[in-house]
Amino acid sequence: MSAVDSTGSSAAGGMLTEIDHVAIAVRDLEAAIAYYAGTFGARVVHRERVESDGVEEALVQVADSYVQLLTPTRDDSPVAKYLAQRGEGLHHVGYRVADCAAALQSVKDHGGRVIDEAPRPGSRGTTVAFVHPKAAFGTLIELVQE
Ligand code: CO
């Protein structure tokens, strides 16, 4: 449905080709999974501990995207700090991009603030980079290249 040109950009979303995932920080991963399964019949299609980020995630499939339920695996992880300061809730939005490095460079070129200076490995074998929420209208953005 999306028209993709030779640079991998979709006509309407530019470099952002899909919503990859919406990430929700939770204290009890099993309870959150049970909620989505029990209430909506939604299924977990992937689970992974990402030691470098200090998180465990469960991906609940929603069409071609995911709800990413995230819980900290250690007290000094960014998600643990987020939960302590702001409680459970929306943590970040992951946008799918064809070229993470190019999208990250575009953030820099347009005066944005990055958290990751260069793309790095994410979960599911993806390549990711985070954009700082302070210069992105209060939303932590993750650029996700599959
Ligand atoms: Co994410």
Side-chain angles (χ1 to χ4, degrees):
M1 150 164 185
S2 61
V4 176
D5 67 21
S6 57
T7 66
S9 297
S10 69
M15 292 181 182
L16 310 178
T17 60
E18 302 264 4
I19 303 279
D20 185 79
H21 61 275
V22 172
I24 300 171
V26 303
R27 293 199 175 89
D28 184 337
L29 189 59
E30 303 310 322
I33 291 168
Y35 171 80
Y36 276 91
T39 305
F40 303 115
R43 206 160 57 85
V44 170
V45 292
H46 182 78
R47 286 187 72 148
E48 187 169 340
R49 278 174 79 97
V50 184
E51 296 298 346
S52 54
D53 290 336
V55 298
E56 181 170 5
E57 70 172 47
L59 292 179
V60 174
Q61 184 112 38
V62 181
D64 291 331
S65 302
Y66 307 98
V67 173
Q68 181 185 63
L69 303 169
L70 267 183
T71 203
T73 56
R74 54 173 198 263
D75 290 344
D76 65 344
S77 90
V79 173
K81 287 174 190 155
Y82 182 93
L83 283 170
Q85 287 168 9
R86 303 177 60 173
E88 293 179 308
L90 185 63
H91 184 265
H92 66 268
V93 176
Y95 294 114
R96 223 167 274 160
V97 295
D99 184 337
C100 188
L104 188 63
Q105 188 60 48
S106 188
V107 171
K108 295 175 183 174
D109 290 348
H110 291 84
R113 280 174 63 188
V114 299
I115 292 175
D116 295 307
E117 282 297 331
R120 62 182 178 82
S123 65
R124 286 176 288 143
T126 58
T127 299
V128 304
F130 280 90
V131 176
H132 203 290
K134 286 245 164 71
F137 299 88
T139 304
L140 177 59
I141 291 173
E142 181 180 11
L143 304 168
V144 183
Q145 178 183 341
E146 290 188 303

